[in-house]
Amino acid sequence: MRAAPTILHLDMDAFFAAAEQASKPSLRGKPVIVGGLGPRGVVSTASYEARRFGVRSATPMAQARRLCPNAAYLVPRFQLYRTISEQVMELLGRLSPLVEPLSLDEAFVDLEAGGVAFGSAAAREAGERLRRDIRAVTGLSGSVGLAGSKMLAKIASEQAKPDGLVLIEPGTEQGLLAPMPVRILPGVGPATGEHLRRAGMTTVADLAEAGEDELVRLLGKSHGASLYRMAAGHDDRPVVAERDTKSVSVEDTFDVDLHDRVRIMTEVGRLADRCVQRLRASGHSGRTIVLKVRRYDFSTLTRSETLRGPTDDPGVVREAAGRLLDSVDTTGGVRLLGVGVSGLADYTQEDLFAQAAEERAAEGRASGERAEEEPEGEDSAAAAAEAEPVEDPAQRRWLAGHDVTHAEYGPGWVQGSGVGRVTVRFETPTSLVPGRVRTFRVDDPGLEPSEPLPLVETTEPLPLVEKTEIEIEAETGMGIGMRTDGTAERQARGGTPAGQESPLARRPKSRSEGGGPGSGAAMSRP
């Protein structure tokens, strides 16, 4: 525990939904729900407008649609979220070398280690400056908590939501925690909370009054002792810059139960490939392959196989996951599949996988023999071109909320698709009014998927003015302007030619200058 509130916790406000609202002017101020849109999907993030209807993270999507039928339901765009997260983490890194990311939108920062704060006033100033910088760089808001421990800093950021800052002065911890529910403490989940409720403990004050011995009797030595210390406001966990990754995994929930064994095997192979991609991206390999199967009756089976050494070979992971699947009965149907790798290391042992390498080499030799048997020339080249898979435009999937661009209308985003049509709203993050909506055939040749646009325009530095122009302005009091035909004309300094409106007066005002939503200017609606 520290004598000054120099541990900062940042939590971006409704991160996924806020990013979607910032990139889509037509959704600003409206309920937005991001998550899996299938009948078995769950909510990843709900905007604050949607939370008024009772929609929260992890709410089943079917229930969310009943609670808030008029919300915009969008598929996550993780590429955009990761880009924004990197910008935020870079800002945190400027405050201190000790930054502990918890997720894309949440992190602890040790301000004392960065030398930016050793007391309450400096810590508050650093937190406010961080919030301003985040809004300037990303266009989004974040809530900041400051305290002498990680637990209290996180509680403070929750109290600060949305878009606020709360500082907990050391010495006030017990009075603050006493009336709060036990679920506010780290390590108290639904099961532990229910266990404590049955014992008559619903608030943090109840835990403190029960004493350490009673909590140890109820929850065990380690958990009970830790919970008692936290109930008293004590938390000495340090901010750790590097957190060891324990496992890498991917999983999919299917809209309809899978019964076909071949299809199930195909999905397991696809998940294994995705898992290896994430494994390699993190710079790791692993020696324990894990298969997760959730059956039609919600029973979940987990099978694992430990190899003789770590690998990041997709063929080896696919084969191991396939062997694990052979030991699982899937006749009743499968609603979820997952493949993971644990026992991570930062190296691989290639010699352990000679068999997989030999199989790939054998496939290569076989394909080479077939190539030698085929005639060379234009006919063989045409045959090879015909053999290459070509994407059928009619089969393209247009996911709600994802970015597209049209050859005639420019950038936009998918509002919805079905029955061979896709509806697109053409607007960008910097549009001042909601964009127009148009509908196309799904195979429209002018419509293509595109990359997310930045939420905030990057301001380029003003070009240097030539010395001769400066001299002219200083000597004559006249500036140099440009006519529409590209020829130069002189303008009175600080003014415009007679009968013309200043370009600065014509340009849209920023929010800081009184423009944009809430400025009193009328906004057209689609």
Side-chain angles (χ1 to χ4, degrees):
M1 297 293 295
R2 298 187 178 183
T6 55
I7 292 182
L8 180 149
H9 181 260
L10 170 72
D11 196 355
M12 300 295 290
D13 299 323
F15 182 44
F16 293 178
E20 298 298 343
Q21 289 177 318
S23 65
K24 301 172 174 63
S26 57
L27 299 184
R28 293 170 188 169
K30 298 180 180 179
V32 173
I33 296 173
V34 181
L37 302 189
R40 293 176 177 172
V42 296
V43 176
S44 294
T45 308
S47 69
Y48 286 99
E49 294 84 357
R51 295 182 189 186
R52 298 193 188 106
F53 294 86
V55 181
R56 297 288 188 274
S57 298
T59 300
M61 193 59 73
Q63 180 182 355
R65 291 184 184 276
R66 291 193 296 269
L67 293 171
C68 192
N70 295 324
Y73 289 85
L74 307 177
V75 177
R77 294 186 295 161
F78 288 106
Q79 180 180 352
L80 172 65
Y81 309 150
R82 291 191 186 97
T83 300
I84 300 173
S85 177
E86 290 171 358
Q87 294 173 329
V88 172
M89 295 303 166
E90 181 180 354
L91 293 174
L92 297 181
R94 296 177 185 178
L95 289 177
S96 172
L98 288 183
V99 177
E100 182 179 341
L102 304 179
S103 61
L104 289 176
D105 63 334
E106 188 179 1
F108 286 110
V109 183
D110 189 336
L111 299 179
E112 191 174 299
V116 297
F118 296 94
S120 298
R124 182 181 293 276
E125 181 182 351
E128 293 290 2
R129 184 171 64 251
L130 173 65
R131 292 177 57 236
R132 291 194 299 269
D133 291 345
I134 289 175
R135 186 174 288 279
V137 172
T138 69
L140 304 180
S141 66
S143 297
V144 170
L146 292 159
S149 69
K150 293 168 68 173
M151 176 188 71
L152 292 168
K154 184 173 176 61
I155 291 174
S157 68
E158 286 294 327
Q159 292 185 326
K161 284 184 169 294
D163 192 19
L165 182 148
V166 169
L167 184 148
I168 299 177
E169 290 285 358
T172 65
E173 299 90 350
Q174 291 188 6
L176 175 75
L177 290 173
M180 292 185 173
V182 294
R183 289 288 303 276
I184 199 72
L185 299 179
V188 181
T192 303
E194 178 61 20
H195 190 49
L196 292 171
R197 187 195 65 79
R198 290 198 300 266
M201 305 177 195
T202 58
T203 67
V204 177
D206 295 335
L207 299 181
E209 292 174 4
E212 182 174 357
D213 292 341
E214 179 64 13
L215 293 179
V216 168
R217 185 186 67 82
L218 287 173
L219 304 175
K221 183 175 181 180
S222 177
H223 195 188
S226 173
L227 198 59
Y228 177 75
R229 285 179 54 80
M230 289 186 177
H234 297 292
D235 178 22
D236 56 359
R237 293 174 299 163
V239 177
V240 181
E242 296 292 336
R243 305 182 71 196
D244 293 334
T245 303
K246 296 181 179 180
S247 64
V248 174
S249 63
V250 295
E251 62 182 41
D252 275 347
T253 300
F254 305 102
D255 294 342
V256 179
D257 289 350
L258 304 184
H259 292 84
D260 183 11
R261 187 74 178 184
V262 176
R263 169 74 187 283
I264 294 173
M265 181 64 77
T266 301
E267 293 294 337
V268 168
R270 183 177 59 84
L271 290 169
D273 290 342
R274 285 172 51 195
C275 183
V276 169
Q277 290 176 1
R278 292 189 58 185
L279 190 69
R280 289 179 170 178
S282 67
H284 291 94
S285 61
R287 62 192 305 261
T288 300
I289 314 302
V290 181
L291 175 71
K292 178 180 178 181
V293 179
R294 180 166 296 155
R295 300 189 292 187
Y296 68 98
D297 58 356
F298 286 90
S299 61
T300 302
L301 304 177
T302 303
R303 300 288 185 269
S304 63
E305 176 181 327
T306 300
L307 307 174
R308 290 175 294 173
T311 181
D312 62 354
D313 188 295
V316 173
V317 176
R318 279 197 304 268
E319 292 171 9
R323 289 193 298 270
L324 294 171
L325 182 62
D326 291 338
S327 64
V328 178
D329 179 14
T330 61
T331 53
V334 171
R335 61 183 292 120
L336 178 146
L337 289 170
V339 174
V341 178
S342 60
L344 302 187
D346 55 1
Y347 66 95
T348 59
Q349 293 185 355
E350 301 294 344
D351 59 318
L352 296 177
F353 313 111
Q355 180 179 359
E358 289 175 1
E359 290 177 356
R360 290 194 297 273
E363 292 176 359
R365 289 194 297 270
S367 61
E369 292 171 358
R370 288 194 298 270
E372 291 177 359
E373 294 173 358
E374 294 175 354
E376 297 182 357
E378 295 181 358
D379 293 339
S380 61
E386 292 177 357
E388 293 180 357
V390 179
E391 181 186 13
D392 182 2
Q395 300 300 320
R396 289 188 295 186
R397 295 183 63 199
W398 302 101
L399 300 178
H402 280 221
D403 299 274
V404 295
T405 184
H406 193 274
E408 180 179 354
Y409 302 106
W413 58 277
V414 176
Q415 277 201 327
S417 62
V419 294
R421 297 287 189 271
V422 54
T423 301
V424 178
R425 185 181 288 273
F426 291 98
E427 60 186 2
T428 66
T430 57
S431 300
L432 297 181
V433 296
R436 299 293 300 273
V437 177
R438 296 185 181 274
T439 300
F440 308 91
R441 294 180 58 87
V442 294
D443 57 353
D444 188 299
L447 191 64
E448 294 289 341
S450 65
E451 300 296 323
L453 296 174
L455 302 186
V456 177
E457 280 188 328
T458 56
T459 56
E460 298 293 338
L462 294 175
L464 295 175
V465 182
E466 295 292 339
K467 182 177 180 181
T468 55
E469 295 181 12
I470 297 176
E471 293 173 347
I472 291 173
E473 183 174 356
E475 294 173 1
T476 66
M478 304 290 289
I480 295 181
M482 297 297 293
R483 294 193 180 95
T484 55
D485 61 1
T487 60
E489 66 176 358
R490 298 200 182 279
Q491 300 175 356
R493 189 173 190 180
T496 57
Q500 292 188 15
E501 184 183 11
S502 167
L504 291 177
R506 291 198 307 269
R507 70 176 176 85
K509 290 184 178 181
S510 66
R511 294 191 181 188
S512 62
E513 297 171 325
S519 64
M523 292 179 61
S524 63
R525 296 294 180 185

